[in-house]
């Protein structure tokens, strides 16, 4: 937070001496944000399943982590030019949590209960409850973070004489790209000498276990939307349902049921993939699967669609409808190329929240 802006908001800026004002301005130049890296691994193979960068390790960050672990990660592989194969989408049989408010909250625990997962919470200050993940962070610090310009060390005085502020040039987008390439290309192919690994790389153990014992089944698409997706209350029409101020979903089943029920229904959207959505209609026992109506948005994330629409609106503010699929595909391709350093545009983390997307959708 800017100290100058804070002083002005508090009404004390004008009362400060010139020297004090200059001191605050100088301090503002050295303010740096602190970010958290959240990681989820497969314990049996140590294979990274998900990772997010956030300024606050809260429930939204945890749900984003769970969504990434349970979905395909080809988008990250392509976006950051990775040559390795990330872990496939997987079900969550047993989740062992670190301590912290981001994990010990109603939203995160409730989502795991809905998915039928066993949820174990590690004790505070008990490293033996979470040895594998603690070791992973130590390895990542030694192999990745310590090599970055601006690294401040693992404790006070760790790097005597090194000016971390002057060398702090890594942006959050570049950091997420480095972490992604490390968890897809490097760490899974590095020999691991942890318990039961015997020097085998995590990718080799991961493939061996899945080949000989089978993978935990992926979560049903509808259940995943209901448990980890974002909820919108909308009124269905002849064209289906519109969520986030402009993204349409529809199905034949919805149109048949719409005639029996008048009023709003709940629609759950997966913000990581807009190909499908799930609707819950009062009085109907089973959920209804909906299909995306704009094929140009297929396989895109919800924040990505909103960013694409923002760029198109900037190019031609008078445009309200888009009829040429070729133009949309071309613009989508150009947008993906220009976003090679980040997944979400102008966000202080590697994911978006539902409130941010709702606000941006209305603005777009």
């Amino acid at each position: 937070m800017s100290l100058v802006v804070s002083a002005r908001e508090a009404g004390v800026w004008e009362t400060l001496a010139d020297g004090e004002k200059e001191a605050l301005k100088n301090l503002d130049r050295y303010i740096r944000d602190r970010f958290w890296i959240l990681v989820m691994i497969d314990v049996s193979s140590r294979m990274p399943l998900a990772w997010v960068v956030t300024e606050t390790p809260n429930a939204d960050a945890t749900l984003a982590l769970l969504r990434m672990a349970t979905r395909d990660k080809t988008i990250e592989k392509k976006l950051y030019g990775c040559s390795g194969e990330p872990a496939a989408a997987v079900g969550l049989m047993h989740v062992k949590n670190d301590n912290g408010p981001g994990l010990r909250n109603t939203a995160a625990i409730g989502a795991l209960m809905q998915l039928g997962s066993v949820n174990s919470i590690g004790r505070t200050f008990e490293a033996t409850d979470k040895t594998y993940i603690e070791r992973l962070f130590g390895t990542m610090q030694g192999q990745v973070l310590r090599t970055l310009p601006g690294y401040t060390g693992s404790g006070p005085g760790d790097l005597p004489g090194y000016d971390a502020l002057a060398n702090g040039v890594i942006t959050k987008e570049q950091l997420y790209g480095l972490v992604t390439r490390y968890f897809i290309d490097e760490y899974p192919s590095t020999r691991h000498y942890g318990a039961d690994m015997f020097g085998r790389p995590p990718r080799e153990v991961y493939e061996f276990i899945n080949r000989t014992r089978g993978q935990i089944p992926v979560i049903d698409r509808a259940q995943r939307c209901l448990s980890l997706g974002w909820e919108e209350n909308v009124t269905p029409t002849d064209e289906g349902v519109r969520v986030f101020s402009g993204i349409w979903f529809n199905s034949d089943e919805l149109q048949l049921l719409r005639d029996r029920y008048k009023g709003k229904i709940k629609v759950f959207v997966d913000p990581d993939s807009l190909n499908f959505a799930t609707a819950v209609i009062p009085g109907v026992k089973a959920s209804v699967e909906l299909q995306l109506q704009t094929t140009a948005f297929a396989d895109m994330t919800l924040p990505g669609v909103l960013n694409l629409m923002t760029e198109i609106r900037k190019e031609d503010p008078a445009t309200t409808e888009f009829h040429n699929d070729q133009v949309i595909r071309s613009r989508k391709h150009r947008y993906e190329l220009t976003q090679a350093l980040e997944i979400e545009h102008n966000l202080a983390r590697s994911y978006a929240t539902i409130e941010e997307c709702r606000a941006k959708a209305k603005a777009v």
Side-chain angles (χ1 to χ4, degrees), residues 16 27 29 55 87 90 170 183 234 252 261 268 305 312 323 325 335 353:
L16 298 177
L27 286 172
R29 299 171 189 169
E55 80 283 12
V90 67
I170 298 294
F183 282 139
V234 295
D252 294 338
Y261 175 78
F268 294 84
V305 168
I312 293 175
H323 304 283
D325 287 344
Y335 170 79
T353 66

Side-chain angles (χ1 to χ4, degrees), residues 69-126:
T70 56
R71 66 168 170 83
D72 180 76
K73 285 166 276 293
T74 303
I75 182 174
E76 283 82 10
K77 175 184 175 179
K78 291 182 177 180
L79 194 59
Y80 295 106
C82 302
S83 58
E85 284 295 329
V90 67
L92 303 177
M93 180 181 292
H94 182 185
V95 177
K96 178 171 282 192
N97 287 329
D98 196 350
N99 57 288
L103 298 159
R104 298 181 181 181
N105 59 74
T106 302
I109 295 177
L112 290 173
M113 291 181 64
Q114 291 180 44
L115 296 175
S117 302
V118 177
N119 182 34
S120 300
I121 299 178
R123 295 170 294 174
T124 306
F125 303 121
E126 291 291 341

